[in-house]
Amino acid sequence: MQTLAFENGDTLPIIGLGTWKSQPGEVHQAVREAIRAGYRHIDCAHIYGNEKEVGQALNEALSAGEVRREELWITSKLWNSAHAPEDVAPALRQTLSDLGLDYLDLYLIHWPVAHKPGVVFPNSGEDLLSLEERPIAATWAALETLVDEGLTRHIGVSNFSIRKLQALLETARIKPAMNQIELHPYLQQNSMLAFCHANGVHLTAYSPLGSFDRPEAFKAADEPVLLKDPVIVEIAERHQASPAQVLIRWATQRGTAVIPKSVNPERLRQNLAAADQELDGSDMDRIAALDKHRRYVSGANWAQPGSPYTLENLWDE
Ligand code: A2P
């Protein structure tokens, strides 16, 4: 399996299992199956509400000797309600306790958005704090101490724009090692790719298959279905692959990690097997032409009336 290398020599298996939207009751089996199938990278987050069950599965696999802890790469994320510096270590400790682990491989700031203390999801703009009131730099300094204490091997961010990443790179003692963002052929973010490449920051592609299982309330009526895109389907047929495999392989050929979610044993094996496929230059060119700057995860939840966040200042575009 292709890997991404970090400055200290650690390596991240480029295809990981996504667990966003994997329900308690189904994620346990998915993680057990994934480890048996050869996944060594699992992407988690406190807000997904399933870390305890993921942890049970991880610990069963570890105790059964199916895998050793040092062979696994476990990522998790700090939720928006825990950006206050004094809340950061307790949030990570909760995640470690839920996952049944002593350390994480990677801990990310989930969004460049802060909620008032105790607010899990904002009901109104009043529930949010601006980045002036709750600066990212202070949250980041608290994450840096987690690395010092050995509670996570690496730290990074998610949903950060180039501008926010640049600001953090200028002040950080420990550089963000990762930006996890929505990336797929309809949202290719080539300038972000170039910026991260130039600055030694890795990218992880979330929603690589278009996250069709998102709650209906978050879907736009005219939403294009990435897995049914005629160009993707045609390339898949020619390679005797599935459309999902083409999307995953496209991500890895661009040098980004990718975390397709599946709770289905056959599909999660199929997704991992995309590592063995190869798209040629003309496939990559045809896919490059599909870019339409289409976000499936719009961030509109943070840009409610009265919120300090707007879609413009969230994405800086
Ligand atoms: P399931 O979990 O039932 O397999 P994303 O990773 O972009 O969030 O997309 C996840 C969605 O894609 C889920 O609905 C998941 O369903 C589905 N999915 C995952 N793998 C495949 C695949 N190989 N073919 C088709 N759909 C897939």
Side-chain angles (χ1 to χ4, degrees), residues 18-61:
T19 62
W20 174 40
K21 309 177 260 74
S22 299
Q23 299 304 314
E26 55 182 24
V27 74
H28 174 270
Q29 188 57 19
V31 172
R32 286 306 302 271
E33 284 289 341
I35 290 173
R36 286 192 195 111
Y39 281 84
R40 295 292 178 263
H41 165 191
I42 316 281
D43 183 80
C44 312
H46 174 71
I47 198 61
Y48 300 162
N50 56 13
E51 284 194 324
K52 271 195 182 151
E53 201 172 313
V54 171
Q56 261 169 20
L58 290 178
N59 281 283
E60 285 170 18

Side-chain angles (χ1 to χ4, degrees), residues 156-170:
V157 295
S158 181
N159 295 300
F160 271 45
S161 65
I162 292 176
R163 185 184 298 175
K164 292 188 179 78
L165 204 46
Q166 175 99 62
L168 186 55
L169 282 164
E170 278 163 16

Side-chain angles (χ1 to χ4, degrees), residues 18 20-22 26 184 206-214 226-227 242-245 248 259-268 270-271:
W20 174 40
K21 309 177 260 74
S22 299
E26 55 182 24
H184 46 68
Y206 79 65
S207 296
L209 310 180
S211 280
F212 198 68
D213 54 344
R214 279 171 302 126
L226 185 57
L227 281 164
S242 70
Q245 287 178 315
I248 294 164
I259 46 169
K261 170 266 178 184
S262 183
V263 290
N264 173 284
E266 198 277 321
R267 286 194 287 276
L268 61 83
Q270 181 195 113
N271 295 346

